[in-house]
Amino acid sequence: MRANAISQLAVFVGLILCSTLPAVPPGEPHVYKHVDGSDLTLYVTQPALPEDVASTVITPRPAIVFFHGGGWVGGVPGQFDEHAAYFASRGVVCFQVQYRLLAKNDTAPPETCVADAVSAMHWVREHCDEFGVDPARIASAGGSAGGHLAAYLGTIAATGEPPASDARANAMLLFNPVYDNGPGGWGTARVGERWQEFSPLHNLSENSPPSVVFLGTEDKLIPVATAEKFRDRSLELGVPSELYTYEGQPHGFFNVTRDGGKWYFETVFAADRFLSRLGWVDGPPTLTSPVAERVVLITLDGLRSEEVFGGGDRRLMIEELGAKNPEELVARYDRETATERREVLLPNLWRHVQDHGWIAGDIDRDSIVKVTNGKYFSYPGYSELLCGIADERIDSNAKKYNENQTVLEWLNAQEGFSGSVAAYCSWDVFPFIINDQRSGVPVNAGWSALTIGDPNRLAGLNFVANNLFHEWERVRYDAFTVSGAFEELQTRQPRVLYVSLGETDDWAHAGRYDRYLLTAQQNDFFIQQLWELIQSMEDYQGRTAFLIATDHGRGDGREGWKSHGSSLPGSERIWLAAFGAGVTARGNDEGHTYTQSQVAATVAALLGEDFNSSNPAIALPLPITRTAR
């Protein structure tokens, strides 16, 4: 008896906790109904209007009407605040509905809840013109008992005036919904013999709208079998229906406060795709996961922070420094301000930083990123960057196997990552830096043939690589490295991909400032192409972080910029950037100091892993992800 009571209490508490309790729900309040001496309100979150709205014709937009959970006895509007804000950013008008709650000791059916849901949908339809809503694209959505109300609007004919059809939803987004109220289903004690009036599962018809359902496999209220029955019956009737189950998750798992927002992301991401398939939203989802499932680490050899933050240096755009056409170079890269110069040189990097990313190393903002190995050249720099420690024994660029463990090697040994780590590098020393013999991480570097990918494309790439003039025998052109990375992503889909590009450093050593700038700009383009490929792949989209770094800085002045080392001031200063899933920091860093050695642990932290646990000497991750200690 006591155990059964505790079980029932747990179920009841689960229903109540399925809703959040914000102090003031965001959105514009509108009274949609006056009943029992009280006003009932819904809250509207609208998409941002274009700046030139006065001259823009707004196309009628889709809408979602959200109903909070709480077992019909608890909860308030606001459970779907994050959902409403996100879908508004996708061009959807969102409504969160307040409805009358049942008394906790009352055993009556949820008639008032249903009646208020119908009234709310009527109100939305009556005000479509006011909010720019397309009356043919209004979805109902809700969680738990709110999912029941949403499913009710999609399946059961409403009664009274105006006509019942006005209260029907055109699509349903259902988060662990209470939609089986028949014998043995949840809520039967309330509805009793009237269950057919309230049970969405038992009122599906060929006129029901498309639906998507999200359910945890450990939900104690809604069995997976019930969800499968709802989906299968819908499909039998010719009604599109999708079911997403989440292993081990309980009732209410989809809320943004659970597990750092992981399941909120997964369910909203899938809901976005559902709406996209209906033609209600355009393009891929713009939501990113709070923890990255995949990371792409990119390094640009010897690209100075001076160019990253200040753009091309006009003092160096001269014939004496190899510029074949100084006037054209100035026209291409020179602008009035540093901001304009950097954005014309690296337009994609700066757009990502401004939209949803982070960057550090701007000395004018007192943001410092230091190399700590004291050598300030490539092998020591890459080892520090990948291993998280500076090893004074590494004092040359010789092809000697690294005794230190890189984060790539460590991740490759972790559950879920084995065989899912790869590296494509322009410089032929990387197999030794990553120690491919010991680590098991495949490293394609230098002028090695590309072997992973479409055979026809590989044949063409390798033919050109073998017959093209090699400017440097130990460093291949970055375009081939990126092409290999493209093939790897599409063929093996690794969780961790390292791409090291090298031409910026080699053109600098050659004294060709024009080609140094051109290569930097090309690498910016390559990074964007990688990003766009990632966004086109379902397993990567919204789940991938990009982390961008360099191995060392460079000197200054007409001669100093060409090289680097302990004798050239400025060689110790580098820069770092990050954007995408799991990156919580934003904008151009100011007033902080970081080290190159923090990159390794950051790669792991973005994935929710702790590289520092392998060696306490490893530098802590950058504070740009919620999992950083």
Side-chain angles (χ1 to χ4, degrees):
M1 290 282 290
R2 182 174 180 273
N4 186 53
I6 291 174
S7 176
Q8 292 181 15
L9 177 62
V11 168
F12 180 75
V13 170
L15 280 167
I16 298 299
L17 293 180
C18 189
S19 61
T20 56
L21 300 174
V24 181
E28 182 181 354
H30 291 268
V31 174
Y32 72 90
K33 185 176 185 178
H34 184 82
V35 63
D36 295 338
S38 299
D39 290 335
L40 293 179
T41 304
L42 50 72
Y43 300 85
V44 187
T45 304
Q46 299 191 65
L49 294 176
E51 292 182 3
D52 60 341
V53 65
S55 60
T56 301
V57 177
I58 304 298
T59 302
R61 302 166 296 193
I64 304 175
V65 182
F66 288 99
F67 297 92
H68 65 81
W72 300 304
V73 300
V76 294
Q79 177 181 14
F80 291 97
D81 287 350
E82 296 288 342
H83 298 72
Y86 171 70
F87 282 112
S89 76
R90 297 283 281 143
V92 180
V93 183
C94 295
F95 302 84
Q96 294 191 73
V97 180
Q98 174 195 21
Y99 56 90
R100 285 172 290 173
L101 302 175
L102 304 178
K104 293 181 182 178
N105 58 356
D106 189 358
T107 59
E111 291 182 275
T112 56
C113 305
V114 167
D116 293 344
V118 170
S119 297
M121 184 62 84
H122 282 320
W123 189 93
V124 170
R125 289 199 179 280
E126 291 167 357
H127 293 78
C128 281
D129 289 344
E130 178 181 344
F131 295 104
V133 169
D134 180 354
R137 294 187 294 165
I138 302 177
S140 58
S144 192
H148 168 265
L149 300 180
Y152 184 99
L153 294 177
T155 58
I156 302 173
T159 59
E161 297 296 333
S165 60
D166 287 353
R168 280 186 178 263
N170 303 113
M172 298 181 289
L173 285 70
L174 308 176
F175 301 82
N176 49 234
V178 179
Y179 55 2
D180 176 8
N181 310 121
W186 200 89
T188 304
R190 282 190 178 278
V191 299
E193 295 299 319
R194 299 174 58 191
W195 58 268
Q196 288 183 318
E197 300 175 39
F198 296 95
S199 181
L201 173 62
H202 297 88
N203 283 273
L204 284 166
S205 72
E206 60 185 13
N207 295 320
S208 297
S211 64
V212 60
V213 177
F214 308 98
L215 183 67
T217 61
E218 295 302 314
D219 195 314
K220 302 303 182 184
L221 282 71
I222 317 298
V224 172
T226 295
E228 292 173 339
K229 187 175 181 181
F230 185 92
R231 177 201 59 195
D232 294 346
R233 177 58 179 154
S234 296
L235 296 176
E236 288 172 6
L237 293 165
V239 176
S241 183
E242 301 177 17
L243 171 62
Y244 293 87
T245 57
Y246 299 87
E247 192 66 33
Q249 295 310 304
H251 199 68
F253 75 103
F254 64 89
N255 285 301
V256 71
T257 54
R258 295 292 295 267
D259 293 339
K262 173 178 174 58
W263 307 111
Y264 160 79
F265 165 78
E266 292 292 346
T267 54
V268 172
F269 196 86
D272 189 306
R273 287 185 171 275
F274 170 74
L275 294 178
S276 179
R277 283 188 282 274
L278 294 180
W280 290 23
V281 296
D282 297 324
T286 58
L287 191 68
T288 56
S289 174
V291 176
E293 294 184 12
R294 301 170 188 271
V295 168
V296 177
L297 171 64
I298 303 172
T299 52
L300 310 180
D301 200 309
L303 179 60
R304 299 193 308 172
S305 57
E306 286 88 338
E307 278 76 30
V308 171
F309 294 99
D313 187 340
R314 192 170 189 175
R315 299 174 305 164
L316 305 180
M317 299 180 194
I318 55 178
E319 287 188 25
E320 292 87 336
L321 293 178
K324 300 301 182 183
N325 191 331
E327 294 78 11
E328 180 181 331
L329 198 63
V330 168
R332 183 169 186 171
Y333 296 112
D334 195 25
R335 297 294 185 273
E336 185 68 24
T337 67
T339 298
E340 292 174 310
R341 290 193 297 273
R342 72 192 186 196
E343 289 180 356
V344 77
L345 179 64
L346 306 170
N348 298 300
L349 173 66
W350 281 103
R351 184 172 63 254
H352 284 296
V353 168
Q354 292 160 3
D355 290 348
H356 53 266
W358 170 88
I359 194 167
D362 188 347
I363 194 170
D364 289 338
R365 297 172 65 90
D366 195 28
S367 177
I368 307 297
V369 185
K370 301 187 298 184
V371 177
T372 66
N373 59 63
K375 308 296 194 300
Y376 314 137
F377 59 87
S378 289
Y379 196 141
Y382 286 120
S383 180
E384 177 182 337
L385 185 150
L386 293 171
C387 300
I389 55 176
D391 186 347
E392 63 180 13
R393 296 172 300 174
I394 300 175
D395 56 6
S396 77
N397 284 335
K399 291 182 176 180
K400 296 181 179 180
Y401 281 107
N402 197 345
E403 296 180 18
N404 304 294
Q405 182 185 50
T406 69
V407 67
L408 305 178
E409 178 177 354
W410 183 81
L411 284 169
N412 195 48
Q414 305 307 304
E415 183 178 357
F417 292 91
S418 179
S420 194
V421 181
Y424 283 78
C425 311
S426 294
W427 189 32
D428 68 358
V429 180
F430 269 100
F432 298 86
I433 298 173
I434 298 172
N435 198 334
D436 59 348
Q437 288 189 344
R438 183 191 67 220
S439 69
V441 175
V443 183
N444 185 284
W447 290 101
S448 298
L450 300 174
T451 59
I452 305 300
D454 178 84
N456 292 326
R457 288 196 296 265
L458 293 179
L461 287 167
N462 288 327
F463 176 83
V464 174
N466 290 333
N467 291 280
L468 191 69
F469 173 76
H470 294 181
E471 187 76 25
W472 313 283
E473 285 305 315
R474 298 183 58 186
V475 181
R476 71 179 164 204
Y477 300 128
D478 292 332
F480 291 102
T481 299
V482 172
S483 295
F486 263 74
E487 294 295 324
E488 179 77 28
L489 284 168
Q490 294 176 91
T491 304
R492 290 188 173 176
Q493 300 189 359
R495 291 191 64 185
V496 182
L497 177 65
Y498 176 41
V499 181
S500 178
L501 306 179
E503 284 191 64
T504 41
D505 187 65
D506 288 283
W507 286 122
H509 282 304
R512 291 294 303 272
Y513 195 67
D514 54 352
R515 293 191 176 180
Y516 169 79
L517 292 181
L518 176 62
T519 301
Q521 190 172 57
Q522 286 178 334
N523 287 349
D524 177 76
F525 171 76
F526 291 151
I527 291 171
Q528 180 62 20
Q529 293 302 299
L530 284 167
W531 177 257
E532 290 179 5
L533 174 62
I534 290 293
Q535 298 314 302
S536 72
M537 301 172 69
E538 187 165 346
D539 288 341
Y540 284 86
Q541 187 184 90
R543 298 174 168 84
T544 306
F546 271 39
L547 183 58
I548 306 173
T550 189
D551 56 333
H552 54 72
R554 314 194 74 81
D556 194 18
R558 291 179 57 162
E559 293 301 319
W561 79 275
K562 299 177 184 178
S563 195
H564 49 86
S566 57
S567 63
L568 279 173
S571 301
E572 76 285 358
R573 287 191 293 104
I574 60 171
W575 57 279
L576 301 169
F579 51 87
V583 179
T584 56
R586 292 290 180 267
N588 195 349
D589 179 79
E590 185 169 7
H592 299 98
T593 298
Y594 310 102
T595 66
Q596 183 182 60
S597 54
Q598 291 181 269
V599 172
T602 304
V603 172
L606 284 165
L607 295 160
E609 301 291 335
D610 183 10
F611 185 40
N612 301 91
S613 65
S614 68
N615 183 351
I618 293 171
L620 293 176
L622 297 162
I624 64 170
T625 171
R626 71 175 185 85
T627 58
R629 296 194 286 114

